[in-house]
Amino acid sequence: VLAEHAAEIREQTGAVCVVSKPGHLKIGDDKLLTCHWLKEHNFNYPRYAAIENRAEVEKLAKVCGYPLIAKPRFGKGAHGIIEICNSADLEVLYSHKNIVIEEALGDADSEYTAGCFCDSNGQVRGTIVFRREL
């Protein structure tokens, strides 16, 4: 909410909201857009496919093998993450929308999170990747 109204808040109150631009937040809030962005900017990223693209999902399963990870496109942390152990598990997910299928990284007891820091021109100035224990 602050990002969308930062200019208005500054104009009315003089307060500076230190927030990302709404477009940047949109990318960070959408796991599929995040994967696309990481790939386009030559960062490491998990191999991925949107559940709506069955051919790409099946290619991912063939290349990476099982387990795979299913994540809601929109959401935070590990909420809603499903481990896909075989093609039958994957088949169930085709009736859903807004799911990203990714290669499994780490193990069942860990989660990796990444963040980028950009300047006001959108130039990446720093990154951080860390492993969280769940």
Side-chain angles (χ1 to χ4, degrees):
V1 173
L2 288 177
E4 293 176 13
H5 300 285
E8 180 183 343
I9 292 168
R10 185 171 190 166
E11 183 180 306
Q12 291 180 8
T13 68
V16 176
C17 298
V18 181
V19 293
S20 297
K21 293 178 182 177
H24 297 160
L25 293 172
K26 180 180 176 184
I27 293 168
D29 287 341
D30 182 330
K31 291 176 180 70
L32 183 60
L33 290 181
T34 298
C35 286
H36 288 310
W37 188 92
L38 291 169
K39 182 178 182 180
E40 289 169 11
H41 291 87
N42 298 313
F43 287 101
N44 291 331
Y45 60 93
R47 289 176 278 191
Y48 65 94
I51 195 68
E52 293 85 358
N53 189 334
R54 189 178 187 119
E56 285 297 313
V57 171
E58 290 176 2
K59 179 180 173 184
L60 179 69
K62 186 174 184 178
V63 170
C64 295
Y66 294 99
L68 295 169
I69 302 297
K71 297 179 177 181
R73 276 186 68 175
F74 310 98
K76 297 189 180 350
H79 182 72
I81 291 178
I82 301 169
E83 183 179 49
I84 303 167
C85 296
N86 53 50
S87 60
D89 290 348
L90 191 55
E91 191 64 39
V92 171
L93 294 173
Y94 286 121
S95 63
H96 294 79
K97 294 183 183 210
N98 293 319
I99 293 176
V100 179
I101 308 299
E102 294 181 355
E103 68 178 312
L105 301 174
D107 57 41
D109 296 322
S110 64
E111 176 183 354
Y112 290 87
T113 299
C116 297
F117 304 95
C118 300
D119 63 20
S120 60
N121 296 317
Q123 181 71 33
V124 176
R125 297 296 181 185
T127 61
I128 184 171
V129 177
F130 54 96
R131 179 177 165 252
R132 298 191 305 181
E133 292 186 15
L134 304 176

